Amino acid sequence: MNKFFSWREFSRQYWGLPVLSALVLINAASYLSPVILLPQGRTYLMYMPIAACVALLMVFDWRAMPGIVLTLFIRYDMRIDTAMAIVMTLIWLFSLTVAWAGYRWHAGRRWSAGFGLLRMPGPYVLWLVLILSVLFESLLQIVADMGLLPNYMGLVTREFMNLRTLINFQATMLGILLSSHVWYLLLRIIRKPRYLRVILANIRNERTSGLKTAEVILWLILLASMVFLLCMKGITGPVAKIMLSDYTLALMLPVMLFGAMRYGYHTVVIVWTVVITVLFTHRSGFISEKGFIHNLVFVSTLMLVFTLSLLLMSAISSRQRRLLQKTRSASLLDPIFGLPNLRAFSRDLSLYPRSLLCFVRVSEMDVLSRNYGMQLRIQFKQQLAMGLKLLMQPGERVYHLPGYDLALRLNCDDSEQKLERIQHYVDNFRLIWNDLPLHPNIGLAYCTVFSPVEHLHMLLGELSGIAEISLTTGKPESNKSDHRQVQNEIKNKVEMLHKVQRALDEDLFVLMAQPIAGIRGDSYHEVLIRMLDESGELMSPDKFLPVVHEFGLAYLLDMWVLKHTLMFIHEHREKMPSVRFAVNFSPSTLCRPAFSSEFKALMAEYQVEPYQIVLEVTESHLLHNIKYADYSMRDLRNYGCRIAIDDFGTGYASYDRLKLIQADILKIDGSFVRNMLTESLDAYIVQSICQVARMKHLSIVAEYVETEEQRDALRALGVDYMQGYLIGKPEPLITLIS
């Protein structure tokens, strides 16, 4: 019994709240509808009862029909007679049934997703505004033509398509288009009072961002003033009549359009419903008695078109702001992992003057992903992030990084304790995957940053390298000497990167030449590169070459050196017909598939013979790339160029790889030559390199030869060429001409 009489059952069953709401709302709507008693009959300016029926159907669906039928029958039975009440009720029932069924069919499952023009303007206007009004008015016209409808009761007369019928038809459409939403909101609040919070939230969300309360108050005051002027009676004088009535009515269009664009759909619907009801109720203030019916038709048409424009404009503006808000939210969230992304990370860092940035490196995840699939990677990061969130204070967040890593923004208070808790958590974190506990090694790197954080991607790259150390030490790692050191290093790298790029674009590099003398009298030069700084001084390569290799500019720089070297040979061919140069190339350049063809094209363009160019490649860089560089080296060696292995002896497993490398010249690293007369181990290394080179029939070049004693000792070991300050210092390439 308690369940039968509960509010929930009462609000859902057709005999409960739908019937009570219909009895109250339809009668209230009829009472509030602005009406004029003309000689031809009753004329409505905005017909609200049918709008209340639409709102009831929107809230209760077909369960609203019994209450609507009962209310209409009682109303007409009390005002006319029982037979006419049945006829009028059937007209209402047929019109509402056809229109509602068509709307439900057209809208599909989303018929209750929203109301008005905000969500589904097409089905709503077509079925519930246009077709419902046409059906209702047509059936009433048929009854009127049969002489069954009194003039004081109906919306039509026997005279078809007169001005009164047109006004009533427009009033029906206007009532459904505008006031049905207000009745709908009222019903939702009656059914569930907490829905008032939803309405207020929608009103706030639909407003434009940065809206101030003063603007809304001024807009409402201006609108209320214009309504007051339009409702004033007894205005004398033609100028005052025009300025305070017709002209003011036209000025309401831009004022309401401004509100539609700024304040959203719900605000405009509620405000405009109140405004238009007040204006039609006090119509005598702005509708002239002279030619009253024609002025009434014009105002009715104007209000209908104006209302449709307002609702469309407010709906479009609200939808655009909502989509913009969704787009902004989506741009800050990774759709797969459900975590804030780098864009959100950068935004949040700018909101705090000082932050503790923590980088979480997950190792071996690529192996696990290949074995168990991508879903493992997703769940691992999600569960790891979920556990980290529990350790954080308000405002601290976990961010998704591309790959297998995470980033944390923490407040700087109690940083050591926070890092200890995070390290303890990641040490004990396990992901149960197919009943198998997985625990890849996790490293932590951290640093303190100050807003604004410049070059965030570079900073994360630096922390990624520090996190690799943490994987070995098992504790959080950071450079604690200076909190700004990581940012300063990145800033310096970026500045150097800009300088290198500018030098490439504006040819600000300078080519130097250092002689390499052979013991048999022949010689050639190694081409070295320097860069001009802002003051015009030469910058040594150890300052800019690391940045060149780190940011992938090695190929551009190598081709710049090669091109300008060939240009020099071509321009001074007559003075130096057989000059030879050794040009340094990075292994990444040799690994490019098109390098050998581009090299040959430049040689042909500047008409340089292959024997004039020696390609020097740093041996230590060939460890991982020898398979890819081997093709280019073989191809260019067959082309006629000579291949030199630079800095031999400083890499790993040099002798083992020497068996695979196809080269002509072997350059002994200067670190062994410099101390070979004082360090017996260095002397033995140089001797062993010379022995292996002779077995491979390679020419030997010794670097950093600075004394006569070094030259004599190297000559005794069978070194073919020597390079160093004893032989000659690097000089600008142009000095070779003289």
Side-chain angles (χ1 to χ4, degrees), residues 32-44:
L32 294 175
S33 297
V35 63
I36 301 175
L37 294 178
L38 297 177
Q40 297 86 356
R42 179 174 296 185
T43 304
Y44 287 92

Side-chain angles (χ1 to χ4, degrees), residues 10 14 43 60 62 90 212 228 246 253 335 357 527 572 636 642 690-691 713 716 721:
F10 181 77
Y14 71 92
T43 304
F60 301 110
W62 294 110
L90 290 176
K212 296 182 179 180
F228 176 76
D246 300 9
L253 175 60
L357 195 158
V527 176
H572 305 93
L636 295 178
R642 304 186 72 191
C690 292
Q691 291 176 353
Y721 295 89

Side-chain angles (χ1 to χ4, degrees), residues 549 584-587 590 616-623 644-648 650 657:
H549 290 288
N584 289 277
F585 291 91
S586 66
L590 292 174
E616 288 195 6
V617 185
T618 304
E619 178 270 340
S620 60
H621 291 163
L622 291 176
L623 176 61
I645 305 302
D646 196 12
D647 297 337
F648 185 81
T650 57
R657 292 201 312 282

Side-chain angles (χ1 to χ4, degrees), residues 359-541:
F359 187 95
V360 182
R361 160 59 52 83
V362 183
S363 66
E364 304 173 0
M365 184 57 69
D366 54 343
V367 178
L368 294 175
S369 297
R370 287 196 297 266
N371 293 333
Y372 297 103
M374 183 62 67
Q375 191 63 31
L376 168 66
R377 170 184 168 187
I378 297 174
Q379 290 194 15
F380 187 91
K381 294 189 71 172
Q382 288 177 340
Q383 295 190 21
L384 179 62
M386 189 181 302
L388 290 172
K389 291 178 182 178
L390 301 177
L391 305 176
M392 295 183 174
Q393 299 175 352
E396 300 177 340
R397 302 180 73 185
V398 183
Y399 303 88
H400 163 75
L401 297 180
Y404 312 104
D405 306 323
L406 296 171
L408 282 65
R409 197 216 66 81
L410 307 173
N411 300 326
C412 292
D413 54 314
D414 301 328
S415 57
E416 294 184 0
Q417 291 78 1
K418 290 180 181 179
L419 292 170
E420 289 179 0
R421 290 195 298 267
I422 293 174
Q423 183 66 51
H424 181 266
Y425 171 76
V426 298
D427 288 341
N428 295 277
F429 177 77
R430 299 290 186 277
L431 174 66
I432 306 301
W433 184 264
N434 296 333
D435 298 328
L436 178 67
L438 301 178
H439 177 59
N441 194 15
I442 300 177
L444 297 178
Y446 67 94
C447 70
T448 303
V449 295
F450 297 84
S451 180
V453 180
E454 299 180 355
H455 316 300
L456 177 60
H457 296 79
M458 310 301 177
L459 176 60
L460 293 175
E462 293 290 336
L463 290 178
S464 176
I466 299 175
E468 291 291 338
I469 303 175
S470 175
L471 293 173
T472 304
T473 61
K475 63 179 182 179
E477 294 290 341
S478 176
N479 192 333
K480 300 181 181 180
S481 59
D482 185 4
H483 290 307
R484 294 183 180 269
Q485 181 171 349
V486 176
Q487 286 179 272
N488 291 334
E489 290 178 358
I490 295 173
K491 182 178 180 181
N492 294 335
K493 283 186 178 181
V494 173
E495 290 178 356
M496 182 58 68
L497 176 63
H498 292 164
K499 292 178 182 179
V500 172
Q501 189 65 59
R502 178 171 173 267
L504 285 171
D505 296 336
E506 301 178 10
D507 291 339
L508 298 180
F509 290 105
V510 176
L511 294 182
M512 311 289 286
Q514 185 176 21
I516 301 176
I519 61 174
R520 300 175 184 83
D522 59 325
S523 64
Y524 63 99
H525 293 77
E526 179 181 1
V527 176
L528 306 174
I529 189 170
R530 302 289 187 269
M531 188 172 71
L532 293 173
D533 58 14
E534 293 83 353
S535 60
E537 299 294 330
L538 294 179
M539 187 183 302
S540 60

Side-chain angles (χ1 to χ4, degrees), residues 124-420:
Y124 171 68
V125 173
L126 176 63
W127 291 99
L128 299 182
V129 178
L130 182 61
I131 294 180
L132 177 58
S133 300
V134 170
L135 278 176
F136 184 67
E137 295 288 339
S138 300
L139 292 176
L140 286 178
Q141 186 66 48
I142 293 174
V143 175
D145 291 342
M146 297 172 61
L148 301 178
L149 184 65
N151 289 339
Y152 65 88
M153 290 294 299
L155 297 173
V156 295
T157 60
R158 291 187 179 184
E159 298 179 9
F160 182 64
M161 290 302 294
N162 57 14
L163 294 181
R164 173 178 173 269
T165 304
L166 178 61
I167 295 173
N168 283 324
F169 178 69
Q170 293 179 158
T172 304
M173 295 182 63
L174 181 61
I176 300 173
L177 189 64
L178 185 60
S179 65
S180 58
H181 198 174
V182 178
W183 298 116
Y184 169 82
L185 297 178
L186 183 61
L187 274 174
R188 293 294 301 270
I189 295 174
I190 294 173
R191 188 180 184 187
K192 188 177 294 186
R194 288 182 299 176
Y195 188 73
L196 180 60
R197 299 180 181 178
V198 178
I199 298 175
L200 296 177
N202 289 334
I203 292 175
R204 288 192 301 267
N205 295 333
E206 290 174 359
R207 292 178 177 181
T208 185
S209 59
L211 186 66
K212 296 182 179 180
T213 307
E215 177 186 329
V216 182
I217 295 176
L218 288 175
W219 180 73
L220 290 175
I221 292 175
L222 176 61
L223 188 62
S225 302
M226 299 178 73
V227 173
F228 176 76
L229 291 175
L230 288 172
C231 295
M232 288 180 61
K233 297 181 180 180
I235 300 176
T236 60
V239 177
K241 184 69 176 179
I242 295 175
M243 295 300 297
L244 300 181
S245 59
D246 300 9
Y247 188 68
T248 306
L249 184 64
L251 284 179
M252 292 194 69
L253 175 60
V255 175
M256 288 302 302
L257 283 178
F258 176 82
M261 297 179 63
R262 297 282 293 176
Y263 309 135
Y265 180 78
H266 284 81
T267 301
V268 168
V269 166
I270 296 173
V271 172
W272 184 238
T273 301
V274 175
V275 168
I276 203 171
T277 303
V278 173
L279 288 177
F280 279 152
T281 303
H282 302 278
R283 61 193 175 276
S284 58
F286 62 94
I287 298 180
S288 175
E289 296 295 335
K290 184 178 180 180
F292 178 77
I293 188 66
H294 293 88
N295 292 333
L296 195 62
V297 171
F298 173 76
V299 172
S300 175
T301 305
L302 177 65
M303 290 299 185
L304 177 61
V305 176
F306 189 17
T307 299
L308 182 60
S309 302
L310 272 180
L311 297 184
L312 286 174
M313 180 61 69
S314 61
I316 292 173
S317 300
S318 300
R319 181 175 297 178
Q320 286 180 341
R321 281 192 288 269
R322 182 174 297 179
L323 292 177
L324 181 60
Q325 183 65 28
K326 289 183 178 180
T327 303
R328 289 176 177 174
S329 301
S331 66
L332 300 175
L333 191 70
D334 184 84
I336 298 177
F337 293 90
L339 296 173
N341 55 20
L342 273 175
R343 186 180 287 107
F345 190 30
S346 177
R347 182 202 63 178
D348 292 348
L349 286 176
S350 64
L351 299 178
Y352 298 87
R354 186 165 174 258
S355 301
L356 180 66
L357 195 158
C358 186
F359 187 95
V360 182
R361 160 59 52 83
V362 183
S363 66
E364 304 173 0
M365 184 57 69
D366 54 343
V367 178
L368 294 175
S369 297
R370 287 196 297 266
N371 293 333
Y372 297 103
M374 183 62 67
Q375 191 63 31
L376 168 66
R377 170 184 168 187
I378 297 174
Q379 290 194 15
F380 187 91
K381 294 189 71 172
Q382 288 177 340
Q383 295 190 21
L384 179 62
M386 189 181 302
L388 290 172
K389 291 178 182 178
L390 301 177
L391 305 176
M392 295 183 174
Q393 299 175 352
E396 300 177 340
R397 302 180 73 185
V398 183
Y399 303 88
H400 163 75
L401 297 180
Y404 312 104
D405 306 323
L406 296 171
L408 282 65
R409 197 216 66 81
L410 307 173
N411 300 326
C412 292
D413 54 314
D414 301 328
S415 57
E416 294 184 0
Q417 291 78 1
K418 290 180 181 179
L419 292 170
E420 289 179 0

